[in-house]
Amino acid sequence: MTRTLPQTDRPAPPPALAQAVRRVGGLHHARGAFRAVTRDLAEETAVAMVYGGSTQAVMMASPADLHDFAVGFSLTEGLVTHPDQIERLEIMDHPQGIEAQMWLAGDRAEALAARRRFMAGPVGCGLCGIDSLAEAARALPDLGAVGPALDASQVARATEDLRRWQPLHDITRSVHAAGFLLPGQGVVLAREDVGRHNALDKLIGAMARQGIDAGQGAFVLTSRVSVEMVQKCAIAGCAVLIAVSAPTAHARRLADGAGITLAAFARGEGFDLFTRPDRIAGGFDVA
C-alpha cells in the first residue's frame, strides 16, 4: 500500500539555491517508531561541457553557478588560459540535463580540436576518461617562488571560516565547498557542489571572472586532497592548499614538486603541514 507522507512546515530554500535543492518526504525511525519527515536533498544533474558544438566532458554536478563552472573547468583543463578566450558562453537546459555551450577564440579552438577527447565523470572522479597516462601526470607550473605568508592560527581555523559560506550544505548536509582565503581577511569567496572537484572549478571560474589573483591567498577545501585537486590548484596559480581531510600520498608528492604548501586536517585547533612550511608563520617549530 502506498503511503502519502504529510509535509511539515519548513522554510523554502533561498531562490538562488532553489534549482540545486529538491524537497522530498521520507520516514525517520527513532525510539522504536517511525514518523513522517521532509528533507531537502542536494540535486545532482548531468552538465555537459560543449565546445563549438562538440561535447568535451559530462560531469554530475549541482545545477548552480554554472557560468563559473564552465569557465573554471575550461581553465583547469587547459582549454583556455584566460576567460576572454571564451568568446561566447550559454547555459542551456534540456530534459536530460544541462549544456554549457562555449565557443573559443580561434587559436584555442584549433588547439582543442588537436587534443579532442571525451570524459564522463561521476562526482567522485576528477580524472575519469582521460586518454593517456601522460595526461594524468601532466606538467604543473612551479609555484615555489610565489605565494602568500599566512599565520598558523588562520590556517587552523580556515575550514571553520569556510562554514559561513556554505548555505547549500546547511540545507542538505551533503555537498562540498571550496573557498578562497586572503591573509588577514579570512575566506572572501566560496562555491559549493556535490562534487569536490566541481566546487573547486566553480571557485576558480568565479575568481577568474572577477579578476581575483589566486596567488594572493589560499584555497580551502571541505574534502580530502587528491591528485586532481592539487593539479587544479597549481594551474590556477594558488600556492597554498588547506583541507579538512587528508591528502593522498601521490597528492603530497605532486604538491611538493609544484612548490605548493599543503596543510590538512585543519579543524580549528590545529593542522598537519606536509609541504613547504616556510609560508606558515607562528605557533610551531619544524624539526
Side-chain angles (χ1 to χ4, degrees), residues 78-162:
L79 305 180
V80 300
T81 58
H82 192 278
D84 288 349
Q85 293 171 338
I86 302 175
E87 294 185 335
R88 197 163 93 232
L89 168 57
E90 298 177 3
I91 304 299
M92 308 293 293
D93 289 305
H94 299 281
Q96 302 89 352
I98 299 172
E99 286 185 341
Q101 297 185 355
M102 289 167 274
W103 289 263
L104 305 184
D107 59 334
R108 303 313 302 178
E110 292 171 6
L112 174 58
R115 57 163 280 190
R116 177 69 66 182
R117 62 182 172 82
F118 178 80
M119 178 179 66
V123 297
C125 177
L127 291 174
C128 300
I130 59 175
D131 60 3
S132 71
L133 292 176
E135 180 69 12
R138 55 182 161 164
L140 297 178
D142 184 356
L143 304 180
V146 300
L150 290 170
D151 184 80
S153 62
Q154 190 168 26
V155 175
R157 64 175 182 266
T159 59
E160 290 186 351
D161 192 15
L162 182 57

Side-chain angles (χ1 to χ4, degrees), residues 157-229:
R157 64 175 182 266
T159 59
E160 290 186 351
D161 192 15
L162 182 57
R163 286 289 298 116
R164 300 182 297 109
W165 293 80
Q166 296 180 251
L168 186 55
H169 176 78
D170 290 342
I171 294 170
T172 66
R173 304 294 178 184
S174 63
V175 299
H176 287 291
F180 183 62
L181 179 147
L182 283 174
Q185 298 183 45
V187 175
V188 297
L189 183 67
R191 290 292 183 266
E192 295 180 278
D193 197 275
V194 291
R196 57 197 168 84
H197 48 87
N198 296 342
L200 184 52
D201 273 343
K202 287 180 177 181
L203 174 66
I204 291 169
M207 292 173 60
R209 295 176 71 204
Q210 296 177 41
I212 300 173
D213 180 7
Q216 300 301 308
F219 286 157
V220 185
L221 309 178
T222 62
S223 66
R224 72 184 189 273
V225 181
S226 50
V227 167
E228 78 276 13
M229 305 301 272

Side-chain angles (χ1 to χ4, degrees), residues 57 59-60 108 158 214:
M59 308 299 291
M60 299 304 299
R108 303 313 302 178

Side-chain angles (χ1 to χ4, degrees), residues 213-286:
D213 180 7
Q216 300 301 308
F219 286 157
V220 185
L221 309 178
T222 62
S223 66
R224 72 184 189 273
V225 181
S226 50
V227 167
E228 78 276 13
M229 305 301 272
V230 175
Q231 289 176 333
K232 292 176 187 296
C233 182
I235 291 168
C238 185
V240 181
L241 185 56
I242 305 167
V244 71
S245 295
T248 66
H250 190 174
R252 191 211 67 80
R253 291 192 298 270
L254 201 63
D256 193 37
I260 292 172
T261 298
L262 176 57
F265 301 110
R267 299 179 181 179
E269 296 184 357
F271 57 93
D272 288 0
L273 191 57
F274 290 92
T275 59
R276 288 299 304 265
D278 53 293
R279 294 190 179 99
I280 313 300
F284 62 94
D285 295 317
V286 178

